[in-house]
Amino acid sequence: MLVAQSGGPTSVINASVAGVIQEAGKHGLIEEIYGGLNGIYGILNEELIDLNEEKARTIEGLKYTPGAALGTCRYKIDSKKKPEQAAKDMDRLFEVFQAHNIRYFFYAGGNDSQDTSNQIHQEAVKRNYEMRVIGVPKTIDNDLPHTDHTPGFGSAAKYVATTVAEVAIDVGGMATDEGACCIIEIMGRTAGWLSASAVLARKNGVGAPHIILLPELPFNEEQFLAKVKETVDANKFCVVVVGEGIKNAAGEELGADKSRLDAFGHPVLSGAADRLAELVQGKLNTKTRTVKLGYAQRAAAHLASLRDIEEAVMCGEAAVRAAVEGRSGFMVKLVRTSSDPYHCATDLQDLSDIANAVHHIPRDWISEDGFLPNEKFIEYCKPLIEGETKLAYEGGLPKYAVLDKVPVDKTLPARA
Amino acid sequence: MLVAQSGGPTSVINASVAGVIQEAGKHGLIEEIYGGLNGIYGILNEELIDLNEEKARTIEGLKYTPGAALGTCRYKIDSKKKPEQAAKDMDRLFEVFQAHNIRYFFYAGGNDSQDTSNQIHQEAVKRNYEMRVIGVPKTIDNDLPHTDHTPGFGSAAKYVATTVAEVAIDVGGMATDEGACCIIEIMGRTAGWLSASAVLARKNGVGAPHIILLPELPFNEEQFLAKVKETVDANKFCVVVVGEGIKNAAGEELGADKSRLDAFGHPVLSGAADRLAELVQGKLNTKTRTVKLGYAQRAAAHLASLRDIEEAVMCGEAAVRAAVEGRSGFMVKLVRTSSDPYHCATDLQDLSDIANAVHHIPRDWISEDGFLPNEKFIEYCKPLIEGETKLAYEGGLPKYAVLDKVPVDKTLPARA
């Protein structure tokens, strides 16, 4: 079997890999447990490692270690835009699979990565190459359809809610008659789940953050400034959380620099908070500071949610069980049966239902004025941040696992 | 007695207040324990609270609670630039002190606040008003002279080192042949102590962060870009930490918007990371992302250093003991006698030695090329981030203490 990781890491993407490895170890059918370095990109270069060479302690430690321990990539097999390169890549991938007798392939990733898994699954069927392909969900954005939520989201949400709560205490303590505003920019290209999770920082439904701007709703400058002014007048301070991808009524992103595109052709976003700060400072003359947590949101394993870790492991395990049972072309999904008490189980969803679709926050989970997620969102999100990680510290810093990465001998000529 | 807080909060400024309150409770000489809301600004408005009305549990909880629980301010008694207003403010302050028989005044703050304490002390002597004034050090910037370090720095350093370590793991895992760069902007107006603390994220002196740009040294664009290129060529990625206040050889701040000044007349800084990102992206064509932790650095009590908490409490206690012993016009300072094993005790320093002076990182604590703090800095900084906070969690979020703030009856007419 082969496991690999793709796309932006999360705090718990390694926990899913640990789940895959530990579950695979239980099944005699699986002879070798290989990891692909840097996702598809490394597999194309036949860069595989032997995960059975790793210490059990290291694999267990992966559950609490951020980043992609196997390495990840943003490389895309683009059969639509680059059909020639895609066909070449597919040939090469199956050469690698065949050379190492890979019969199980597990790929942890978000929307784009599930699309890759789907293509590989279909290609295996077409080529009559017997291989079971199961996708493992992963994204802090929580924007995959058909799953209640995605591993990675709960930990990022816990980090965002904690940080916003702490910054709000700080700004609130500094607020004097002149007023103060702080704008915190949160990741999430088109879906506002992570920004919305900041609402959990509010105590009993009051206080900061006072405004959460979601990419799901068009930004209205006038209403926003009125709400900031009203909040500062009433509380002497205002904490605003903004999703990096918010757009105005014309659909233009506030913080987009349209000259830059990432490997998937999406515009690179940044600067929504800075743009809003200029507005508040300029039009309301209120002292405004910004915070842009950036990659820290998906890497802050020191604040991972224990529930998220456990579910990430569960998804990895479920992927292996499904494959061993003969299933292929599915993504593991989470199905919630109850929020209080919280209960969630895994199931499977056809990969073709997942790829490149985006799951947004329902409109009726957001207050009428659009400035805060409501009780429905809170009920949904609250259980996902529960429980604290069991991370060990050494010399004052978290102790993270590092793989030895013993390479599997290459048997193919280098990639053309 | 009266205790108040001033300037930007830290994760442990409340721990010092807890130390003051708990120690004051032991001394029969002190009849009432009052807190001034929003520092000098609130005291001028006779906004005092009765801290004996708070639960012991709340006071203990303050040790783990970020922000300024009493509120803080940036109001300055400026006897040089605004002598008339300053004289009026002093009259009013002593009216308030007299009205409530304040004979002990403890003020927790940074450079500017120690200056305020010094003015109040001198004014008390001049007016023959018997009052003991002791300053309690506090700043994440660690830039106060005569003290080995300042409470608040260790916790911020632990947060910065942890976050940089996590982001570095994230970026390192994503690095493929195209290379990646991440630039993390750290607070610190003129002193680079907090930026430098990111060096603790390096494992055994290697790895990320690869470059730390300190405000102590002039920024050299050419050398910086060469170092980034060299690092990306060797490692496929580069993590840069930059102090918000770095300047070029001409002394101009890279990220300063000179049109904005804060209440103390300092330029408002922001954007050093964004400026560097433009450079790296533009000149090296390396994909670059930025992180700006902002207020989170001084509010992240969930990652507070236990040693810092204990020393902050110790400074509060020492302030009360000094005052009860009849001392006035001093700031509590920390004196280190050994780094390994770490040993540190409190002592007193004349307030006039502290006010408005800035303590920089010695040049010989920084590598010759200026891109990393060296072993001397590491030996100094390492013990300060040791130990984890004892913070309790509830529903997945840290449980912070909130004061009831029972007001002391006003006896004076409103401030003119």
Side-chain angles (χ1 to χ4, degrees):
Chain A
M1 63 144 274
L2 179 61
V3 59
Q5 300 169 312
S6 176
T10 75
S11 289
V12 302
I13 186 170
N14 293 325
S16 286
V17 170
V20 165
I21 298 169
Q22 291 177 340
E23 182 68 28
K26 298 181 191 167
H27 298 274
L29 273 171
I30 297 173
E31 295 167 13
E32 299 291 347
I33 302 177
Y34 290 169
L37 297 182
N38 289 106
I40 289 298
Y41 185 80
I43 298 170
L44 287 167
N45 291 319
E46 206 189 351
E47 287 172 345
L48 311 182
I49 60 169
D50 187 346
L51 289 167
N52 272 323
E53 292 285 332
E54 302 291 340
K55 291 176 189 144
R57 188 194 308 280
T58 306
I59 301 303
E60 185 64 23
L62 286 184
K63 295 181 183 174
Y64 311 104
T65 299
L70 296 171
T72 176
C73 70
R74 293 214 171 265
Y75 191 81
K76 188 170 181 167
I77 298 181
D78 195 336
S79 50
K80 276 174 201 154
K81 286 188 196 155
K82 299 178 185 169
E84 255 177 69
Q85 183 62 46
K88 240 170 96 179
D89 285 348
M90 274 296 174
D91 286 346
R92 173 70 181 182
L93 269 185
F94 279 85
E95 265 174 49
V96 174
F97 290 153
Q98 195 120 39
H100 297 279
N101 193 30
I102 304 297
R103 299 297 170 174
Y104 301 90
F105 179 57
F106 305 103
Y107 207 37
N111 314 54
D112 292 307
S113 316
Q114 303 300 337
D115 180 47
T116 302
S117 295
N118 193 33
Q119 288 184 55
I120 293 173
H121 161 69
Q122 288 173 349
E123 193 70 21
V125 171
K126 211 170 83 183
R127 290 172 187 245
N128 221 352
Y129 178 81
E130 198 192 326
M131 182 168 74
R132 286 114 190 222
V133 180
I134 304 285
V136 181
K138 168 248 55 162
T139 166
I140 61 165
D141 295 339
N142 199 38
D143 58 354
L144 293 185
H146 300 290
T147 183
D148 178 75
H149 57 282
T150 56
F153 170 63
S155 294
K158 186 187 184 93
Y159 172 74
V160 166
T162 300
T163 303
V164 170
E166 290 177 334
V167 168
I169 291 173
D170 182 294
V171 179
M174 288 195 73
T176 53
D177 297 335
E178 52 192 283
C181 180
C182 183
I183 303 179
I184 304 169
E185 183 173 309
I186 298 300
M187 280 177 138
R189 182 163 279 140
T190 57
W193 297 99
L194 192 54
S195 302
S197 69
V199 74
L200 299 178
R202 288 165 63 91
K203 294 234 166 169
N204 309 316
V206 295
H210 306 94
I211 300 173
I212 299 179
L213 299 174
L214 303 169
E216 274 84 353
L217 300 177
F219 174 70
N220 180 312
E221 181 178 317
E222 204 179 323
Q223 284 168 21
F224 167 71
L225 288 172
K227 184 76 179 172
V228 172
K229 189 174 181 320
E230 179 195 315
T231 306
V232 173
D233 286 348
N235 306 287
K236 298 186 181 173
F237 77 110
C238 181
V239 174
V240 179
V241 171
V242 58
E244 59 179 357
I246 59 159
K247 300 173 189 67
N248 61 21
E252 293 161 345
E253 279 150 5
L254 255 73
D257 173 352
K258 287 176 187 160
S259 59
R260 283 160 58 192
L261 299 178
D262 72 13
F264 290 115
H266 304 141
V268 169
L269 303 185
S270 73
D274 285 336
R275 292 286 292 279
L276 292 180
E278 280 168 33
L279 262 182
V280 173
Q281 192 102 26
K283 302 243 168 159
L284 301 180
N285 199 23
T286 301
K287 181 181 158 181
T288 305
R289 289 288 182 275
T290 60
V291 175
K292 184 180 156 190
L293 297 171
Y295 285 164
Q297 291 163 85
R298 59 188 207 195
H302 73 273
L303 258 184
S305 142
L306 184 60
R307 176 155 285 149
D308 191 28
I309 293 172
E310 289 169 350
E311 289 183 342
V313 172
M314 204 164 92
C315 286
E317 294 169 346
V320 173
R321 282 198 306 270
V324 168
E325 285 163 12
R327 314 292 294 268
S328 183
F330 295 93
M331 182 190 83
V332 175
K333 67 176 177 182
L334 290 163
V335 181
R336 183 191 310 215
T337 49
S338 164
S339 280
D340 187 19
Y342 179 80
H343 186 75
C344 203
T346 60
D347 202 344
L348 298 175
Q349 184 80 31
D350 205 291
L351 276 171
S352 60
D353 298 339
I354 306 288
N356 301 319
V358 174
H359 182 221
H360 291 286
I361 305 178
R363 181 60 184 91
D364 69 338
W365 289 20
I366 306 167
S367 65
E368 212 171 313
D369 68 7
F371 287 130
L372 282 175
N374 65 21
E375 277 307 314
K376 288 181 187 170
F377 177 87
I378 293 170
E379 186 194 337
Y380 165 83
C381 195
K382 211 171 176 310
L384 308 182
I385 69 163
E386 280 171 1
E388 283 67 57
T389 178
K390 295 163 183 169
L391 193 58
Y393 282 75
E394 194 173 40
L397 292 174
K399 205 177 156 187
Y400 292 125
V402 180
L403 294 175
D404 285 335
K405 294 190 184 174
V406 176
V408 173
D409 288 339
K410 294 189 182 188
T411 63
L412 296 174
R415 182 183 174 204
Chain B
M1 63 145 271
L2 179 62
V3 57
Q5 301 169 312
S6 176
T10 75
S11 289
V12 302
I13 186 171
N14 292 325
S16 286
V17 170
V20 166
I21 297 170
Q22 290 176 342
E23 182 68 28
K26 298 181 190 167
H27 298 274
L29 272 173
I30 297 174
E31 294 167 14
E32 299 291 347
I33 303 177
Y34 289 169
L37 296 183
N38 288 106
I40 288 300
Y41 185 79
I43 298 171
L44 287 168
N45 291 318
E46 206 188 352
E47 287 172 346
L48 312 182
I49 61 169
D50 186 347
L51 289 166
N52 272 324
E53 291 286 331
E54 303 290 340
K55 291 177 188 143
R57 188 195 308 279
T58 306
I59 301 303
E60 185 64 22
L62 286 183
K63 295 180 182 173
Y64 310 105
T65 299
L70 297 171
T72 175
C73 69
R74 292 213 172 267
Y75 191 81
K76 188 169 181 166
I77 297 181
D78 195 336
S79 50
K80 276 175 200 152
K81 286 189 195 154
K82 298 179 186 170
E84 254 177 68
Q85 183 63 46
K88 239 170 94 178
D89 285 347
M90 274 298 175
D91 285 345
R92 172 72 180 180
L93 270 184
F94 279 85
E95 264 174 49
V96 174
F97 291 154
Q98 193 120 39
H100 297 279
N101 193 30
I102 304 299
R103 298 297 170 175
Y104 301 91
F105 179 57
F106 305 103
Y107 206 38
N111 315 55
D112 291 307
S113 316
Q114 304 300 336
D115 180 46
T116 302
S117 294
N118 194 31
Q119 288 184 55
I120 292 173
H121 161 69
Q122 289 172 348
E123 193 70 23
V125 172
K126 211 172 81 183
R127 289 172 187 247
N128 220 353
Y129 178 82
E130 199 192 325
M131 183 168 74
R132 285 114 189 222
V133 180
I134 304 284
V136 181
K138 169 248 53 164
T139 166
I140 62 166
D141 294 339
N142 198 39
D143 60 353
L144 294 185
H146 300 289
T147 182
D148 178 76
H149 57 281
T150 55
F153 170 64
S155 294
K158 185 187 185 92
Y159 172 74
V160 165
T162 300
T163 302
V164 170
E166 290 177 333
V167 168
I169 291 173
D170 183 294
V171 180
M174 288 194 74
T176 54
D177 297 336
E178 53 192 282
C181 180
C182 184
I183 304 179
I184 304 168
E185 183 173 310
I186 298 299
M187 280 177 137
R189 183 162 279 141
T190 56
W193 296 99
L194 192 54
S195 302
S197 69
V199 76
L200 300 179
R202 289 165 63 92
K203 293 235 166 168
N204 309 314
V206 295
H210 307 94
I211 300 173
I212 299 179
L213 300 174
L214 303 169
E216 274 84 352
L217 300 175
F219 174 70
N220 180 311
E221 180 178 318
E222 204 179 323
Q223 285 168 21
F224 167 70
L225 287 172
K227 183 77 179 173
V228 172
K229 189 174 181 323
E230 179 194 318
T231 306
V232 173
D233 287 348
N235 305 287
K236 300 187 181 171
F237 77 110
C238 181
V239 174
V240 178
V241 171
V242 58
E244 59 180 356
I246 58 159
K247 300 174 189 67
N248 61 20
E252 293 161 345
E253 280 151 5
L254 256 71
D257 173 351
K258 288 175 186 162
S259 60
R260 281 160 58 192
L261 300 178
D262 73 12
F264 291 114
H266 304 140
V268 169
L269 303 184
S270 74
D274 286 336
R275 293 287 292 277
L276 292 179
E278 280 167 35
L279 263 181
V280 174
Q281 192 102 24
K283 303 244 169 158
L284 301 179
N285 198 24
T286 301
K287 181 182 157 180
T288 305
R289 290 287 182 276
T290 61
V291 176
K292 184 180 156 190
L293 297 172
Y295 285 164
Q297 291 163 85
R298 58 187 207 197
H302 73 273
L303 259 184
S305 143
L306 185 60
R307 176 155 286 149
D308 190 28
I309 294 172
E310 288 169 351
E311 289 183 342
V313 172
M314 204 163 93
C315 286
E317 292 170 347
V320 173
R321 280 199 306 272
V324 168
E325 285 163 11
R327 315 291 294 268
S328 184
F330 295 93
M331 183 190 82
V332 175
K333 66 175 177 181
L334 290 163
V335 181
R336 184 191 311 216
T337 50
S338 163
S339 281
D340 187 19
Y342 178 80
H343 186 76
C344 201
T346 60
D347 202 345
L348 298 175
Q349 184 79 31
D350 205 291
L351 275 171
S352 59
D353 298 339
I354 306 288
N356 301 320
V358 174
H359 182 221
H360 291 285
I361 305 177
R363 181 61 184 91
D364 70 338
W365 288 21
I366 307 168
S367 65
E368 212 170 315
D369 67 7
F371 286 130
L372 282 174
N374 65 21
E375 277 307 315
K376 287 182 186 167
F377 178 87
I378 293 170
E379 186 194 337
Y380 166 83
C381 195
K382 212 171 176 311
L384 308 183
I385 68 163
E386 280 171 2
E388 283 66 58
T389 178
K390 295 165 184 168
L391 192 58
Y393 283 74
E394 195 173 38
L397 293 174
K399 206 178 155 184
Y400 292 124
V402 180
L403 294 175
D404 285 335
K405 294 191 183 172
V406 176
V408 173
D409 288 338
K410 294 189 181 188
T411 63
L412 295 173
R415 183 184 172 202

